[in-house]
């Protein structure tokens, strides 16, 4: 079984804590005999065709770097690897983490963590409720089977971690990564229309997964524990810690090495959701 962990770090943006997270992934891959690839040069360079995003979002690099993650859908990688996991560069893997690829059952194409399934703080649950409606509310009529609840809103996967088998090729319809992103049905996501103005690839991918009805598995929250999204006291039970919105940390992420060394003191870190 050939397996790959794929990461992206393009645009000459590499805060110091990325190295700490990168080293944790390298150690993990070595432990479980997993190939590890970090894309450092952009390939797709996706630009909106009719941008509704801020000028800085597009012109800072001349393209939207988040869509470089979809290079993992290339035919050569899917031919070489049976299973692939895309992991954001701000995810730290703890030494206690089992092999995530053991979670991918034979009949599953895609697996991820539903944000509503995390042991979140009350504050973050409220944020999710508003976010899910803004991002996915207009899509529900197109996908009536999309799971939702009155309490927590419309289910969505946090795409900072994506686990899938090469069977995903069936749902790519023979397209290259660029052709996939450039589908007409995805144009509004890429352009950043309406509430998607600040969206990443997460909205596009959630819509794709749900609309195709590919076989999915909801992973345990421990595989994508959002720092300061989940309650501080549960971090010690996590496998992967996702330092999303790291710029909200007092030291802009520089304190991450200290945090992962002493999770019992996570409550001392002040952090705000903007």
């Amino acid at each position: 079984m050939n397996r790959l962990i794929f990461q992206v770090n393009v645009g000459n943006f590499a805060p110091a804590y990325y190295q700490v997270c990168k080293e944790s992934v390298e150690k993990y891959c070595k432990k479980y005999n997993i190939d590890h690839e970090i894309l450092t040069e952009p390939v797709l360079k996706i630009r909106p065709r009719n941008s509704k995003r801020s000028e800085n979002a597009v012109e800072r690099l001349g393209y939207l770097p988040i869509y470089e993650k979809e290079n993992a859908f290339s035919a050569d990688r899917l031919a070489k690897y049976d299973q692939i996991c895309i992991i954001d560069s701000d995810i730290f893997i703890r030494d206690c983490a089992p092999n995530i690829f053991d979670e991918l059952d034979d009949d599953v194409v895609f697996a991820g963590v539903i944000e509503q399934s995390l042991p979140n703080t009350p504050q973050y649950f409220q944020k999710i409720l508003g976010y899910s409606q803004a991002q996915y509310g207009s899509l529900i009529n197109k996908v009536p089977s999309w799971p939702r609840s009155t309490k927590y809103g419309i289910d969505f996967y946090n795409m900072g971690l994506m686990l899938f088998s090469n069977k995903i090729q069936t749902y790519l319809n023979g397209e290259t990564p660029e052709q996939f992103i450039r589908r007409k049905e995805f144009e509004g996501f890429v352009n950043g229309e309406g509430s998607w103005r600040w969206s990443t690839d997460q909205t596009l991918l959630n819509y794709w997964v749900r609309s195709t009805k590919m076989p999915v598995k909801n992973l345990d929250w421990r595989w994508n524990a959002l720092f300061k999204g989940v309650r501080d006291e549960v971090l010690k039970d996590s496998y992967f810690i996702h330092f999303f919105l790291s710029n909200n940390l007092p030291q802009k992420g520089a304190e991450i090495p200290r945090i992962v060394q002493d999770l019992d003191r996570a409550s001392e870190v002040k952090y705000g959701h903007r």
Side-chain angles (χ1 to χ4, degrees):
M1 184 77 73
N2 295 320
R3 293 161 164 172
L4 171 70
I5 286 182
F6 183 81
Q7 296 187 283
V8 172
N9 185 6
V10 297
N12 298 318
F13 177 73
Y17 70 85
Y18 270 29
Q19 183 64 27
V20 175
C21 294
K22 172 188 170 185
E23 289 173 359
S24 76
V25 178
E26 289 175 340
K27 183 178 179 180
Y28 182 78
C29 288
K30 184 176 181 180
K31 178 179 180 179
Y32 292 114
N33 194 28
I34 301 165
D35 284 356
H36 184 207
E37 179 184 355
I38 302 177
L39 185 73
T40 57
E41 294 294 331
V43 176
L44 301 176
K45 297 183 179 179
I46 297 296
R47 288 180 59 91
R49 287 178 171 155
N50 184 19
S51 182
K52 307 300 181 184
R53 298 175 181 271
S54 69
E55 184 175 345
N56 181 62
V58 180
E59 299 304 334
R60 181 173 65 89
L61 296 174
Y63 61 95
L64 298 173
I66 191 65
Y67 289 107
E68 297 297 325
K69 289 162 60 176
E70 278 63 61
N71 279 294
F73 294 159
S74 66
D76 57 340
R77 290 184 181 86
L78 293 172
K80 183 177 180 180
Y81 294 103
D82 303 288
Q83 300 172 335
I84 296 176
C85 187
I86 303 175
I87 297 179
D88 278 2
S89 295
D90 54 1
I91 287 180
F92 181 91
I93 302 181
R94 301 182 66 208
D95 289 342
C96 63
N99 190 342
I100 191 170
F101 288 100
D102 291 344
E103 297 290 319
L104 200 57
D105 305 324
D106 290 342
D107 60 342
V108 171
V109 172
F110 175 90
V113 175
I114 297 287
E115 282 206 22
Q116 290 93 324
S117 72
L118 274 70
N120 293 308
T121 65
Q123 177 191 14
Y124 196 65
F125 268 131
Q126 286 303 309
K127 184 180 178 70
I128 286 174
L129 189 61
Y131 171 88
S132 67
Q133 182 59 40
Q135 291 295 303
Y136 307 109
S138 63
L139 302 171
I140 282 294
N141 290 338
K142 297 180 180 180
V143 191
S145 60
W146 200 321
R148 75 208 77 171
S149 71
T150 303
K151 186 174 182 180
Y152 298 129
I154 301 158
D155 279 5
F156 64 93
Y157 292 105
N158 181 288
M159 294 297 185
L161 181 142
M162 295 179 259
L163 178 64
F164 54 92
S165 78
N166 59 9
K167 296 174 185 175
I168 208 165
Q169 293 175 94
T170 300
Y171 304 91
L172 293 168
N173 303 330
E175 297 164 323
T176 65
E178 181 172 7
Q179 289 169 335
F180 167 71
I181 296 168
R182 290 298 189 189
R183 286 184 186 181
K184 184 66 176 176
E185 63 182 314
F186 298 159
E187 190 170 358
F189 304 133
V190 177
N191 286 340
E193 297 174 4
S195 297
W196 303 325
R197 179 178 172 85
W198 295 278
S199 68
T200 64
D201 62 339
Q202 182 161 283
T203 304
L204 183 158
L205 292 168
N206 269 280
Y207 173 68
W208 175 55
V209 167
R210 296 301 187 182
S211 62
T212 59
K213 297 182 174 59
M214 65 177 70
V216 299
K217 178 177 180 178
N218 297 343
L219 295 175
D220 187 276
W221 69 268
R222 290 174 291 181
W223 293 109
N224 196 353
L226 304 181
F227 186 75
K228 293 299 178 179
V230 303
R231 302 189 305 275
D232 291 330
E233 67 269 19
V234 305
L235 280 172
K236 65 182 183 300
D237 299 321
S238 65
Y239 300 146
F240 292 18
I241 303 177
H242 191 172
F243 289 94
F244 77 134
L245 303 179
S246 54
N247 282 339
N248 290 5
L249 288 166
Q251 299 175 42
K252 308 300 183 185
E255 61 270 68
I256 287 176
R258 176 179 58 80
I259 292 170
V260 297
Q261 289 297 319
D262 191 0
L263 292 176
D264 287 335
R265 300 185 64 180
S267 60
E268 298 176 11
V269 179
K270 302 305 178 185
Y271 187 92
H273 296 291
R274 297 193 182 100

